[in-house]
Amino acid sequence: MGSGGQMEDLRSYVPVYMCSSAFFLLVCVFLADSFFSAVFPAVWGGLGKSQRMEWSSNTASLINSSLTGLGAIVGLLVPGLSIDTQFAIMQAMVISMTGYSIGDIVFRLYYRKELAKPLFQSFLIAHHIVAIYAVQIAVLFRESFLEKNLFMLMEFSTTFINLRFMLLDAKVNRDSKLYENLSIFMIVTFFLTRILPIPLLYYLVLYKIGFLGEGVSPGNRWYMTSNIIPYTAINLLNFYWFHKMISGISIHLGKKRSGTVRAMDDEIFHQPKTD
């Protein structure tokens, strides 16, 4: 393992990545199905086959996004953490994200016919591949923890995106306080974790690290700066989805005030019906 400006050997992570992938794949294939069929049998039984499979994938994503998001919050807000502690937290987040991404890729490729919506599946697989590449940079060097935690913080909002998808599949009343409050909380967390930090991250990575080379070793300087490419691609998607969220909640609240009935297409993050 490296120290300070010495690069880590990513090959040493392969065994833990394999274990993490196996765990998340087990969640997708078996554990989520067993949990929901036992705890929420009526809801689970009312879902179509592809919906149940998406719920299983969403459950794996919920575990990963919760662990990663909380890890980033701890890294950003808890003062006085040693370099070793900060790096251990970073390692845990990267192991979780890498394992989840690989596991979900395998799951979606194996069950591609059952899941349907091939374009949506291809998009998610491509997103996972970009994420796997991007997060490896976080464990190459034991430095630049502020920038890395801000990047990893984006995953926190995924928790509430997944929960909202699951409420829609469960046919929760879209006028209920549960649905509306979760939608609003999803938008707020999306803005705070994905949109608001963008100017700061570009300043820290492009200017302080890339241009000035402050607080970073020469080897890490190139890797951190190059990570702006996948980060920018993710940001373009984030702006697109945030625009859909704002438009959707505005339509929802506006039509609710006027007393008119909403169409399904008005929903934030609308997904085609399955099964």
Side-chain angles (χ1 to χ4, degrees), residues 143-144 147 203-222 224-225:
E143 56 190 26
S144 307
E147 294 83 358
Y203 167 74
L204 291 172
V205 175
L206 285 182
Y207 182 68
K208 292 199 71 176
I209 290 178
F211 183 71
L212 298 179
E214 289 186 2
V216 65
S217 58
N220 194 26
R221 182 179 183 181
W222 185 88
M224 288 292 293
T225 306

Side-chain angles (χ1 to χ4, degrees), residues 16 85 188 256:
V16 289
T85 300
V188 171
K256 183 179 180 181

Side-chain angles (χ1 to χ4, degrees), residues 46-122:
L47 298 177
K49 184 176 181 180
S50 63
Q51 288 177 316
R52 290 197 298 269
M53 297 181 80
E54 287 292 356
W55 268 46
S56 296
S57 174
N58 285 344
T59 303
S61 180
L62 279 170
I63 296 170
N64 168 65
S65 59
S66 299
L67 291 174
T68 304
L70 291 174
I73 290 172
V74 170
L76 288 168
L77 299 183
V78 177
L81 295 176
S82 67
I83 290 178
D84 287 343
T85 300
Q86 292 181 74
F87 190 67
I89 295 172
M90 190 61 60
Q91 285 177 308
M93 290 190 286
V94 172
I95 290 169
S96 176
M97 284 195 67
T98 304
Y100 159 69
S101 297
I102 294 174
D104 201 52
I105 288 173
V106 173
F107 177 74
R108 292 185 182 281
L109 287 175
Y110 188 81
Y111 293 105
R112 59 190 180 279
K113 292 182 180 180
E114 291 87 345
L115 286 165
K117 296 180 288 184
L119 288 178
F120 181 63
Q121 306 307 323
S122 299

